[in-house]
């Protein structure tokens, strides 16, 4: 009988938990400074934070401070991305 040729490889694959973006901020008056309290849950080391404050301002800080100059409702977006 002819010999059989075979090759096998096994590699490890590490699966990471997805960060759960969350924040708190207190209502305040126009032209006041709003401090955003980042409460993102992630059990890793490297996470990038991208904030969009719905008024043209953006930040990559963990807990940014922002002022708003118009009295209205803003859609605030926090995107947490793990490496």
């Amino acid at each position: 009988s002819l010999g059989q040729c075979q090759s096998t490889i096994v590699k490890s694959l590490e699966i990471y938990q997805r960060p759960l973006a969350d924040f708190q901020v207190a209502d305040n008056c126009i032209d006041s400074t709003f401090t955003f309290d980042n409460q993102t849950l992630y059990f890793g080391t490297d996470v990038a934070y991208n904030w969009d404050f719905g008024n043209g301002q953006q930040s990559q800080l963990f807990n940014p401070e922002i002022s708003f100059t118009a009295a209205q409702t803003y859609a605030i977006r926090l995107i947490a991305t793990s490496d």
Side-chain angles (χ1 to χ4, degrees):
S1 102
L2 297 174
Q4 293 183 353
C5 298
Q6 182 177 7
S7 176
T8 302
I9 186 169
V10 176
K11 292 187 177 186
S12 297
L13 175 64
E14 190 170 352
I15 307 298
Y16 299 99
Q17 184 176 15
R18 182 181 307 208
L20 179 60
D22 192 16
F23 68 90
Q24 295 291 321
V25 63
D27 291 336
N28 210 337
C29 297
I30 193 169
D31 292 325
S32 297
T33 299
F34 293 78
T35 301
F36 289 82
D37 181 20
N38 189 335
Q39 298 181 346
T40 297
L41 296 177
Y42 181 65
F43 302 99
T45 55
D46 296 324
V47 178
Y49 301 100
N50 292 293
W51 296 83
D52 183 334
F53 298 100
N55 64 351
Q57 296 183 79
Q58 298 180 338
S59 177
Q60 286 75 42
L61 297 176
F62 185 76
N63 290 323
E65 294 182 351
I66 300 294
S67 294
F68 294 91
T69 58
Q72 65 185 56
T73 301
Y74 295 91
I76 312 299
R77 178 180 298 194
L78 169 59
I79 299 172
T81 306
S82 62
D83 288 343

